[in-house]
């Protein structure tokens, strides 16, 4: 398989670059700029992309790389900081631009280049820089400029080294995708061998070989990743696979039954459902502190899961639904000294007394959208493949204050109405996440001639690219009206529905 290396210098779009390469059916992996050159040589890359970064190349504490990477004979494309770094490494001049550029800018292609094949002479690109190349290195031609950036794209076509100051990976760059396609196909000679059908065939063959006649255990949460991992493993080894599904009773309405039905009817495997709503309710009784609730759900989930694994006398391999972004630093480059480690929520710590022959992570190289594509090809229902993000602690963070069985019913029923209405009118596809929340508050209402004093439901719906920030969704009033009517009519115990109009920040998406 052909591979592209995305060498991470700490920019915010690094994962996006790798995804865009994969959108072009070429496998890409991200490595930090601290990776030794020998490892890079060994991996046999067809091309290397230097990412952007928040730094300035003259600052020697910024990420740099050995010049010899440009002599490996592997085509290189530098983007933004990566572009300046190439110029600096090759003896060009990088300086602070008199006018920094930010946003959409007109690019003029001024000489021919395979990088700009099928791209018009004038187009719009996305810029975000304060430094720029003021003098291209010897041996480099300037291939494009903008009003304020004389060397917006440069090339040394003999050595197959290309550098662009703008960001082709963001959709605001009109022909960015074509430019990446050109780099991959015209310059690196890629043929597009990264396709989900072949991924499934190759992975299934590899899993069969690795697992042989042994058994595999997988913790199934009903989320996208573990469901797709289960589908792949089932296809590879059928009933040598046991999926353990801990139903803590804090999932959405009927979700536990749906997960069970899906996996028992569509896939060959042993499915073990551990029904432990009562256990969780008793552990959560009287607890109101949000962090304490989260801690209890997390700890008990772990305890119940491993107890069950021990009961099953599980041997062989332990499988997890780890996906690619779980393995790399989110956003910031690994090793840039500014990274915030993402919680590896798909990785489950293993108690000492449990022994397996090894860990299997069949999705470890895939991005989320690729996991979904694999799930669809495996025939996993759309409801699971396109499931919205759902927090590990489940509804416990959407029921404020103490959790009781009755409160779980209220929030589940209200949430089911909201989902039903959103699906019916098709508005769900405009939203990143939407759900119902039960605050620890009652209010006075009137029904017929009677005064009521009942619970309130809060509706929460957001749009976001990455969940670090989020905007509250402008759902049309008539849809909200239908949802409100139905909840107050159909969910016994609710007499008021309110809509949350707060963005993140200052609020968070969830309530606890
Ligand atoms: P917040 O509330 O932090 O949520 O703005 C951002 C996104 O993360 C999800 N979320 C969680 N996911 N375990 C998870 O797997 C958790 O503990 C958790 N808490 C929040 C939340 O649903 C939203 O999509």
């Amino acid at each position: 398989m052909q591979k592209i290396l995305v060498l991470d210098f700490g920019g915010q779009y690094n994962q996006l670059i790798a995804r865009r390469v994969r959108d072009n059916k070429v496998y890409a992996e991200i490595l930090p700029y601290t990776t030794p050159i020998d490892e890079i040589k060994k991996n046999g890359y067809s091309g290397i992309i230097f990412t952007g970064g928040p730094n300035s190349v003259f600052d020697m504490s910024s990420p740099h790389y050995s010049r010899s990477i440009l002599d490996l004979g592997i085509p290189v494309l530098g983007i933004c900081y990566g572009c300046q770094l190439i110029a600096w490494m090759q003896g060009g001049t990088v300086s602070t631009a008199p006018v920094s550029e930010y946003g959409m800018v007109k690019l003029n292609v001024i000489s021919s280049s395979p990088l700009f094949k099928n791209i018009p002479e004038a187009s719009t690109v996305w810029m975000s820089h304060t430094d720029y190349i003021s003098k291209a290195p010897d041996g480099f031609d300037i291939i494009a400029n903008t009003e304020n950036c004389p060397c917006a794209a440069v090339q040394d076509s003999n050595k197959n080294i290309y550098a662009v100051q703008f960001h082709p990976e963001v959709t605001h760059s009109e022909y960015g995708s074509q430019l990446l396609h050109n780099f991959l196909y015209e310059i690196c000679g890629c043929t597009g061998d990264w396709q989900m059908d072949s991924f499934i065939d190759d992975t299934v063959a590899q899993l069969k070989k690795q697992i042989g006649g042994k058994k595999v255990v997988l913790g199934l949460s009903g989320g996208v990743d573990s469901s797709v991992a289960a589908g792949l493993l089932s296809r590879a080894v059928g009933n040598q696979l046991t999926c353990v599904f801990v139903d803590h009773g804090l999932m959405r309405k009927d979700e536990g039954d749906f997960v069970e039905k899906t996996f028992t009817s569509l896939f060959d495997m042993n499915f073990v459902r551990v029904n432990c709503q009562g256990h969780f309710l008793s552990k959560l009784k009287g607890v109101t502190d949000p962090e304490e609730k989260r801690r209890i759900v997390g700890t008990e989930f772990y305890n119940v899961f491993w107890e069950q694994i021990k009961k099953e006398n599980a041997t062989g391999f332990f499988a997890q639904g780890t996906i690619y972004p779980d393995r790399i630093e989110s956003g910031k480059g690994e090793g840039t000294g500014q990274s915030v480690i993402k919680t590896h929520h798909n990785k489950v710590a293993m108690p000492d007394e449990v022994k397996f022959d090894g860990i299997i992570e069949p999705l470890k190289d895939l991005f989320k959208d690729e996991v979904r594509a694999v799930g669809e090809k495996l025939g996993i229902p759309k409801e699971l493949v396109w499931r919205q993000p759902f927090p590990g602690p489940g509804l416990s963070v959407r029921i404020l204050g103490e959790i009781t069985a009755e409160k779980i019913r209220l929030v589940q029923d209200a949430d089911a109405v909201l989902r039903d209405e959103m699906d019916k009118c098709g508005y769900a596809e405009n939203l990143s996440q939407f759900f119902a929340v039960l605050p620890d508050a009652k209010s006075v209402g009137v029904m017929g001639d009677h005064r009521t004093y009942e619970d309130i439901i809060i509706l929460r719906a957001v749009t976001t690219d990455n969940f670090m920030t989020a905007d509250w969704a402008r759902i049309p009033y008539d849809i909200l009206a239908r949802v409100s009517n139905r909840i107050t009519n159909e969910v016994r115990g609710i007499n008021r529905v309110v809509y949350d109009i707060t963005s993140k920040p200052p609020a968070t998406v969830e309530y606890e």
Side-chain angles (χ1 to χ4, degrees):
M1 187 176 61
Q2 294 161 334
K3 284 191 290 190
I4 295 291
L5 168 64
V6 175
L7 195 59
D8 183 350
F9 289 97
Q12 57 177 321
Y13 297 128
N14 303 348
Q15 286 200 26
L16 189 58
I17 296 172
R19 283 178 49 188
R20 292 283 176 258
V21 171
R22 292 194 191 186
D23 288 346
N24 278 293
K25 303 195 178 346
V26 178
Y27 182 76
E29 63 191 15
I30 304 172
L31 289 178
Y33 76 93
T34 46
T35 308
I37 193 154
D38 285 342
E39 191 179 326
I40 292 179
K41 277 191 211 161
K42 217 169 52 198
N43 288 347
Y45 294 111
S46 304
I48 300 175
I49 299 179
F50 288 8
T51 73
N55 315 65
S56 176
V57 290
F58 344 108
D59 177 356
M60 283 317 289
S61 64
S62 310
H64 286 76
Y65 203 83
S66 157
R67 240 204 104 268
S68 54
I69 192 168
L70 301 177
D71 297 326
L72 297 178
I74 305 175
V76 176
L77 171 66
I79 295 176
C80 196
Y81 176 83
C83 158
Q84 294 159 15
L85 188 64
I86 288 174
W88 183 86
M89 285 160 107
Q90 296 294 76
T93 310
V94 176
S95 40
T96 303
V99 181
S100 359
E101 288 177 303
Y102 182 81
M104 293 202 267
V105 174
K106 186 175 154 230
L107 182 84
N108 311 299
V109 179
I110 54 172
S111 73
S112 85
S113 166
L115 197 60
F116 285 90
K117 188 176 168 188
N118 296 329
I119 298 180
E121 269 174 31
S123 68
T124 302
V125 294
W126 177 261
M127 285 283 196
S128 172
H129 67 105
T130 38
D131 289 355
Y132 70 1
I133 304 175
S134 45
K135 183 179 166 297
D138 289 345
F140 277 70
D141 305 319
I142 300 174
I143 40 180
N145 61 24
T146 70
E147 191 185 347
N148 293 307
C149 183
C151 307
V154 297
Q155 69 181 6
D156 177 345
S157 46
N158 293 325
K159 291 183 80 179
N160 266 334
I161 300 176
Y162 297 81
V164 294
Q165 181 56 64
F166 53 91
H167 287 273
E169 70 277 20
V170 304
T171 47
H172 307 296
S173 289
E174 215 179 343
Y175 291 90
S177 173
Q178 179 68 44
L179 185 143
L180 287 174
H181 184 275
N182 291 340
F183 177 67
L184 300 170
Y185 288 79
E186 302 295 323
I187 296 164
C188 301
C190 294
T191 52
D193 60 0
W194 174 249
Q195 311 218 12
M196 288 306 113
D197 282 325
S198 44
F199 170 84
I200 294 176
D201 294 344
D202 294 349
T203 309
V204 165
Q206 198 188 319
L207 288 170
K208 275 189 175 143
K209 194 161 153 227
Q210 184 182 5
I211 298 165
K214 294 187 176 169
K215 295 190 165 174
V216 192
V217 178
L218 171 79
L220 191 63
S221 68
V224 183
D225 305 339
S226 61
S227 297
V228 175
L232 266 176
L233 284 159
S234 162
R235 186 172 283 195
V237 296
N239 65 8
Q240 286 163 254
L241 169 69
T242 298
C243 286
V244 175
F245 170 51
V246 175
D247 186 351
H248 48 29
L250 296 163
M251 298 185 70
R252 286 172 289 200
K253 189 173 183 179
D254 299 332
E255 206 161 30
D257 295 344
F258 177 68
V259 170
E260 177 169 357
K261 187 161 161 267
T262 302
F263 286 97
T264 50
S265 65
L266 293 182
F267 294 96
D268 186 19
M269 64 169 67
N270 302 301
F271 185 90
V272 179
R273 176 171 174 178
V274 192
N275 280 318
C276 44
Q277 181 178 18
H279 176 75
F280 276 79
L281 276 177
S282 70
K283 291 284 176 188
L284 288 163
K285 194 167 168 39
V287 182
T288 54
D289 178 64
E291 283 308 304
E292 184 64 4
K293 280 158 69 177
R294 274 177 174 269
R295 194 191 59 72
I296 291 172
V297 177
T299 314
E300 289 312 314
F301 190 89
Y302 177 89
N303 291 343
V304 172
F305 179 73
W306 288 109
E307 272 314 307
Q308 188 64 35
I309 297 287
K310 284 187 225 158
K311 263 193 224 158
E312 298 287 317
N313 281 325
T315 56
F317 293 94
F318 181 64
Q320 304 192 116
T322 319
I323 70 169
Y324 194 54
D326 297 331
R327 299 197 296 134
I328 48 178
E329 307 285 321
S330 56
K332 307 273 167 43
E334 247 176 67
T336 52
Q338 12 181 335
S339 24
V340 180
I341 310 270
K342 187 181 163 208
T343 313
H344 291 202
H345 67 270
N346 281 328
K347 285 201 187 268
V348 187
M350 207 180 285
D352 289 342
E353 63 274 30
V354 182
K355 298 272 177 274
F356 284 102
D357 295 347
I359 293 187
I360 292 180
E361 297 175 315
L363 307 175
K364 69 180 188 332
D365 293 326
L366 301 192
F367 283 109
K368 194 80 170 189
D369 39 5
E370 294 171 320
V371 173
R372 293 198 160 111
V374 169
E376 289 202 338
K377 285 191 186 293
L378 289 169
I380 297 175
K382 282 206 165 15
E383 291 97 309
L384 277 181
V385 169
W386 291 100
R387 190 183 192 254
Q388 319 177 28
F390 189 64
L395 297 178
S396 74
V397 295
R398 295 180 183 168
I399 296 171
L400 314 191
E402 187 185 2
I403 293 165
T404 63
E406 172 61 4
K407 288 184 180 178
I408 294 176
R409 178 191 70 81
L410 289 175
V411 80
Q412 277 182 338
D413 286 353
D415 190 69
V417 169
L418 173 66
R419 277 192 288 149
D420 185 47
E421 279 300 321
M422 287 299 170
D423 288 344
K424 269 191 195 150
C425 67
Y427 202 79
E429 64 190 46
N430 300 312
L431 304 173
S432 307
Q433 198 174 5
F434 59 95
F435 50 86
V437 175
L438 186 75
D440 194 14
K442 289 183 188 285
S443 78
V444 173
V446 57
M447 186 178 283
D449 293 335
H450 299 285
R451 173 188 186 274
T452 57
Y453 186 57
E454 295 183 325
D455 276 291
I456 301 172
I457 278 289
I458 301 171
L459 306 176
R460 178 75 164 141
V462 295
T463 54
T464 172
D465 285 335
N466 54 20
F467 290 95
M468 303 299 283
T469 60
D471 198 7
W472 63 275
R474 275 41 170 193
I475 298 178
Y477 285 168
D478 53 344
I479 302 178
L480 288 172
R482 279 202 300 276
V483 175
S484 167
N485 276 339
R486 277 193 56 194
I487 291 177
T488 47
N489 283 328
E490 295 172 28
V491 185
R492 195 174 23 87
I494 301 294
N495 66 357
R496 188 181 295 267
V497 176
V498 301
Y499 187 47
D500 181 346
I501 53 165
T502 330
S503 295
K504 172 184 180 177
T508 50
V509 176
E510 302 287 350
Y511 271 58
E512 287 193 338

